[in-house]
Amino acid sequence: MRLGLLLVSWSLLCPFMSSSPIAAQLPPVQTDPLEKPVSGIQGASACSATEASSCAEAASKILPQVMGPSPMEENLRRLTDEIGGRVTGTPQMAKAVEWALAAFRAAGIEVHTEKYTLPVAWSEGKTHLELLGPVKFPIRLVSTGWSPPVPAGGIEANLVDVAYGTPDDFARAGPGIKGAILLVHSDIGSTWADLFNEYLRPPDIISSAVKGGASAIFWMGARERLLLYRHTNSLNGEIDKIPQAVVAREDAMRLARIVAAYPGKVRVHFDMPNKVGGPIEQENVVGEIRGREKPEESVILGAHLDSWELGTGALDNGCNAAMVIEAARAIKATGLLPRRTIRFVLFSGEEQGTVGSYEYVKAHRAELDKIRAMITFDAGIGRVTGYSLGGRRDTEAGVREVLKPLESWDANRHTYDASFGTDNFDFLLEGVPTLVANQEEANYLPNYHAASDTLDKVDIRELKLHAAIAALTAWGIADRAEPLGKRLTRAELDLLMKETGLDQQLKLLDYWDAWQSGARGRKP
């Protein structure tokens, strides 16, 4: 996703407080989420010896299926090289849905689609910027996702440098921002926290720009070597408040130097005839292995199928879409049936603010008490170190026991952070236990949403390891005698919000009113 694995970075800023009222009610676990956990933790969610044996048996059968010959790499090649980038609402996204249906069916998995309405369809027009003087040179830039178009024929305006867009920066720019195009600086992104900041900064800057009457915003690219990429700063599927574009970093820095040399004199002609349509019907793809004893209860293993289109969406998130199908194939091939149903869901609309998973949650609200866990992978092919447990300590012992057969892989270190950032979000807000794969950065950030996000960046062997971890996690939670953890009440979620800092994220990203009113998340 545009946020990818932000959960760990937020936990470093707002750690879960071990003395919290919720934590006091849960089994004791290690308090530092970044330390290697102590083995043998027992508690209400731990497996019995019989269940541990069942997990070991499942692992022994799943591993040969995953690590041996499989269609996963060819499936991923077709998705990325042949279909390419898959923006929700486009013909390419429709082709991706057909790809997923065919791949699930080839794996012997029962599969269907579930429809919802995307508020707006969007595509970029021919974005162009011309410097009118006093200095001229070519500029490389792309529209941000879901940016409105500029008026027909483009706009001519002064270019005003507002540095990093702080309140002081806007104050220094003064009334000169009215009618101007604003250039906003950025630092090179090299960590998960940097990526997190790319989403936390814009809302206040956009608000200040709109209030000051600016005509557009240019964001300095956070990648070097003229690499272009696309984000959206509209996180609800609606068109944004002001036209915005990402300018190649080196070009943006050159622009900043020209503006400094000729203050108040740099004028540009900016044309960005983006196409806006809709509402439009879209689909999530849902595969299923039905449980043998409690088929009405389910565990979800998910990833998002959509992507941005400057590259081919291999790391974000084609590799994990193919991996979810591979996990389903491997479990099916073992012949083992879990107690509960496992659903394998490929969401669309994730890049527009987790729209597809939000619509899934709304459509399945009546059965949320019976969704025992939601597992998500959304950070490329960096080594999995464990899961972010969404502020939940009560689920850790059970997750650790499920993954015990893979203990030597060092993938059983979990964190307790909670964040907006991928398709677990609305399940978390409804109190459902969620697990988001914590992954090392690897090559994810340099290629994030960029023209360089292509199949050659994917380490297939590492992806196979992830498929084994994902399959065993889903199988183990689905086959437990007892649920992994309960569904939290609204009161417990309110506490979790404060303890994890999720409340501050919701305020920054303009979700807080919807949470308080009950329009989004578990109702008060």
Side-chain angles (χ1 to χ4, degrees), residues 118-135:
L118 184 73
V120 176
W122 179 93
S123 63
E124 183 176 15
K126 188 176 181 181
T127 300
H128 178 72
L129 180 67
E130 179 185 1
L131 294 182
L132 302 178
V135 178

Side-chain angles (χ1 to χ4, degrees), residues 463-479:
L463 192 60
K464 283 177 171 283
L465 299 178
H466 296 178
I469 292 169
L472 185 60
T473 305
W475 162 268
I477 296 173
D479 200 53

Side-chain angles (χ1 to χ4, degrees), residues 129-181:
L129 180 67
E130 179 185 1
L131 294 182
L132 302 178
V135 178
K136 298 182 180 182
F137 58 91
I139 305 291
R140 285 148 284 209
L141 75 169
V142 295
S143 173
T144 59
W146 264 241
S147 168
V150 299
I155 57 176
E156 184 176 320
N158 284 347
L159 186 63
V160 174
D161 188 336
V162 293
Y164 286 87
T166 67
D168 287 345
D169 292 331
F170 271 95
R172 279 189 289 270
I177 68 172
K178 185 174 178 60
I181 297 175

Side-chain angles (χ1 to χ4, degrees), residues 133-472:
V135 178
K136 298 182 180 182
F137 58 91
I139 305 291
R140 285 148 284 209
L141 75 169
V142 295
S143 173
T144 59
W146 264 241
S147 168
V150 299
I155 57 176
E156 184 176 320
N158 284 347
L159 186 63
V160 174
D161 188 336
V162 293
Y164 286 87
T166 67
D168 287 345
D169 292 331
F170 271 95
R172 279 189 289 270
I177 68 172
K178 185 174 178 60
I181 297 175
L182 309 183
L183 176 63
V184 181
H185 291 227
S186 71
D187 295 323
I188 296 172
S190 59
T191 67
W192 291 123
D194 293 337
L195 184 56
F196 196 37
N197 199 41
E198 285 189 37
Y199 288 91
L200 291 181
R201 287 181 62 218
D204 285 344
I205 296 171
I206 292 168
S207 178
S208 295
V210 171
K211 185 178 179 180
S215 59
I217 300 173
F218 290 164
W219 303 96
M220 178 185 288
R223 315 284 190 274
E224 295 183 290
R225 299 177 179 84
L226 301 173
L227 185 63
L228 290 171
Y229 58 90
R230 196 188 309 287
H231 295 332
T232 179
N233 291 317
S234 173
L235 298 179
N236 58 7
E238 301 284 356
I239 294 299
D240 214 335
K241 299 172 183 176
I242 186 173
Q244 298 165 59
V246 176
V247 181
R249 183 173 186 82
E250 290 81 358
D251 289 347
M253 295 177 75
R254 187 175 178 184
L255 280 175
R257 293 192 294 269
I258 297 300
V259 171
Y262 299 94
K265 297 180 180 180
V266 179
R267 287 188 68 78
V268 302
H269 183 268
F270 176 45
D271 195 17
M272 192 172 68
N274 293 340
K275 299 175 178 64
V276 177
I280 185 170
E281 190 175 78
Q282 292 297 283
E283 297 172 296
N284 295 319
V285 182
V286 183
E288 187 170 283
I289 294 177
R290 196 160 175 79
R292 70 180 190 274
E293 289 182 9
K294 300 180 178 181
E296 74 285 356
E297 298 183 13
S298 64
V299 171
I300 294 173
L301 174 61
H304 69 89
L305 181 57
D306 62 307
S307 76
W308 293 115
E309 83 293 6
L310 296 178
T312 62
L315 293 172
D316 189 17
N317 192 35
C319 63
N320 287 316
M323 183 275 289
V324 166
I325 296 171
E326 173 66 3
R329 184 198 68 80
I331 293 172
K332 180 74 173 180
T334 67
L336 296 172
L337 288 178
R339 281 188 174 90
R340 299 175 183 82
T341 295
I342 304 177
R343 291 181 186 165
F344 306 88
V345 186
L346 299 183
F347 299 102
S348 57
E350 194 269 358
E351 297 291 1
Q352 290 68 48
T354 64
V355 176
S357 51
Y358 175 42
E359 294 295 335
Y360 183 93
V361 166
K362 288 197 297 183
H364 292 267
R365 185 159 277 143
E367 63 188 72
L368 291 178
D369 284 337
K370 295 181 180 180
I371 297 179
R372 297 309 184 187
M374 194 280 177
I375 308 156
T376 313
F377 280 68
D378 187 11
I381 48 82
R383 187 176 67 86
V384 174
T385 59
Y387 290 103
S388 162
L389 302 179
R392 302 283 297 266
R393 292 171 178 260
D394 58 320
T395 62
E396 183 186 18
V399 175
R400 192 184 310 286
E401 198 67 35
V402 162
L403 288 176
K404 201 166 187 177
L406 305 181
E407 195 73 36
S408 63
W409 293 18
D410 198 25
N412 219 349
R413 294 180 285 133
H414 310 295
T415 61
Y416 314 115
D417 37 284
S419 175
F420 171 81
T422 191
D423 285 310
N424 74 308
F425 180 57
D426 283 285
F427 293 90
L428 188 157
L429 294 186
E430 291 284 352
V432 175
T434 64
L435 296 79
V436 180
N438 284 336
Q439 297 178 242
E440 294 178 347
E441 182 273 327
N443 61 353
Y444 187 76
L445 293 180
N447 303 296
Y448 179 71
H449 289 184
S452 57
D453 184 4
T454 49
L455 180 59
D456 50 286
K457 309 303 188 304
V458 177
D459 182 331
I460 296 299
R461 182 182 181 280
E462 193 68 47
L463 192 60
K464 283 177 171 283
L465 299 178
H466 296 178
I469 292 169
L472 185 60

Side-chain angles (χ1 to χ4, degrees), residues 57-67 330-331 334 467-468 471-472 475:
E57 179 189 2
S60 70
K61 294 185 176 182
I62 288 170
L63 282 172
Q65 292 293 333
V66 171
M67 302 310 293
I331 293 172
T334 67
L472 185 60
W475 162 268

